Amino acid sequence: MELLERYLLQIGRYLPRKDREDTINELRSLILENYDQEFHEGDNESDVIYKVIKAFGSPKDVATQYRSDQPLVSRELEPLMFLIMKINAITLPLTLVIIKIVEYITQAENPTIMNLLLDVTYAIPDILNALLIAFGMIFIIFILINRSFKPNVVYKQIEFDPKLLPAIPKKVYNVTLIETIIGIFGSVVFLYLFNFQPGLIAVYFDGTRLPLLNSNFERILPFININVFISLTIYIIHLIKRRRIYVTALMEFISGIFGGIIMLLLATGDIFNEIIIDGYDLSIIPQLFKIGMTIGAFA
């Protein structure tokens, strides 16, 4: 009955959270009743459940029948609104990124690929903010359209085929929106602090503010940046897809190996400022750091 679970999973996507479980259980019972009525000795189980599900209709149509809430945007206008939102979700960020690239190339004195990537990365919060504003404006416009006149939109109906239902995602491929957003902002903050504000990570010694990390860390930093960019790409894909995919799983695997190599470089690179370590007699800190990085690298 895998096809049934795939069907119910898609119906649940269109149901309010508070009523979802009860409605799904009711539908499961109803579909199984129809299945028992249709099934006869010698019939193929898969063919019968396929026939019953197809007769019920597409997941969205079934969910609409069970929804009692009154939407702000009518069911007729919803597909058009979501289509425009999807177009904006692709074109708006792409346009802003191109503008940022052109702006950097025309204004930077000594342009480099790494600085270009950093410049585009720092624009991500502004891009997300612009995207949210655009979605809000589209939503408001469609509410006004919906209230101004009764929509009479007719869409070409595509025949529902249960065989085309998405597979049930494995738990390992699930991601949360909060985790993804935190990952994006964490990556941006890391890149900003370590590339443009290294002086923030400093310690006062003899009345002088000295950076905690030395030039050895600066030589390793480009490799760290590359790995952070890989992680940032993964998070952005997850934000778009709302789940892990095989490509991001592979990228995470590569990033993990690359991260292990970077940890070994940090463990053996003598990256702490000797003046601070010797001045405050903190020789235990580099030793603990080396042990921690080595264990983390192999983990």
Side-chain angles (χ1 to χ4, degrees), residues 42-113:
D43 288 344
N44 184 290
E45 180 184 296
S46 299
D47 292 341
V48 176
I49 195 67
Y50 172 87
K51 179 182 175 182
V52 171
I53 289 174
K54 187 170 184 179
F56 262 73
S58 71
K60 188 172 183 179
D61 291 341
V62 174
T64 300
Q65 296 172 18
Y66 279 83
R67 293 190 66 160
S68 58
D69 57 319
Q70 294 297 321
L72 293 174
V73 178
S74 66
R75 311 292 183 203
E76 293 83 5
L77 286 176
E78 257 189 6
L80 181 59
M81 182 182 72
F82 287 134
L83 176 62
I84 294 174
M85 284 184 172
K86 286 179 182 179
I87 293 171
N88 268 270
I90 297 171
T91 57
L92 183 58
L94 187 61
T95 302
L96 292 175
V97 167
I98 292 173
I99 291 172
K100 199 69 182 175
I101 292 172
V102 172
E103 185 182 84
Y104 175 80
I105 293 173
T106 55
Q107 295 182 4
E109 295 181 2
N110 297 306
T112 63
I113 296 296

Side-chain angles (χ1 to χ4, degrees), residues 251-267:
M251 290 173 69
E252 285 178 336
F253 177 72
I254 295 171
S255 176
I257 294 175
F258 192 36
I261 295 171
I262 291 171
M263 284 184 172
L264 288 176
L265 290 174
L266 291 171

Side-chain angles (χ1 to χ4, degrees), residues 140-284:
I140 291 170
I141 289 169
F142 270 86
I143 290 176
L144 294 175
I145 292 173
N146 189 69
R147 292 189 175 184
S148 299
F149 62 91
K150 187 176 181 180
N152 186 20
V153 184
V154 179
Y155 297 97
K156 182 181 178 181
Q157 294 294 325
I158 300 174
E159 186 179 0
F160 168 59
D161 186 354
K163 291 181 180 178
L164 300 179
L165 288 167
I168 299 173
K170 298 178 181 178
K171 287 185 178 180
V172 71
Y173 287 103
N174 292 338
V175 294
T176 63
L177 185 60
I178 294 177
E179 171 193 345
T180 305
I181 293 174
I182 290 174
I184 290 173
F185 280 96
S187 300
V188 173
V189 170
F190 177 90
L191 290 169
Y192 177 74
L193 289 180
F194 283 92
N195 289 275
F196 284 89
Q197 298 292 336
L200 288 177
I201 307 172
V203 176
Y204 279 97
F205 180 73
D206 283 345
T208 306
R209 198 163 181 268
L210 299 174
L212 179 62
L213 305 174
N214 59 26
S215 58
N216 291 333
F217 177 78
E218 306 246 344
R219 286 193 284 270
I220 301 172
L221 185 58
F223 299 103
I224 300 176
N225 287 338
I226 291 171
N227 208 33
V228 175
F229 281 127
I230 294 173
S231 298
L232 189 59
T233 304
I234 293 169
Y235 286 127
I236 291 172
I237 294 174
H238 288 171
L239 184 64
I240 296 170
K241 295 289 187 179
R242 298 299 298 273
R243 68 183 184 89
R244 285 184 176 87
I245 57 176
Y246 293 117
V247 173
T248 57
L250 177 61
M251 290 173 69
E252 285 178 336
F253 177 72
I254 295 171
S255 176
I257 294 175
F258 192 36
I261 295 171
I262 291 171
M263 284 184 172
L264 288 176
L265 290 174
L266 291 171
T268 58
D270 191 21
I271 65 172
F272 292 101
N273 191 327
E274 291 183 3
I275 297 175
I276 296 173
I277 298 300
D278 295 339
Y280 285 106
D281 193 20
L282 296 174
S283 57
I284 187 66

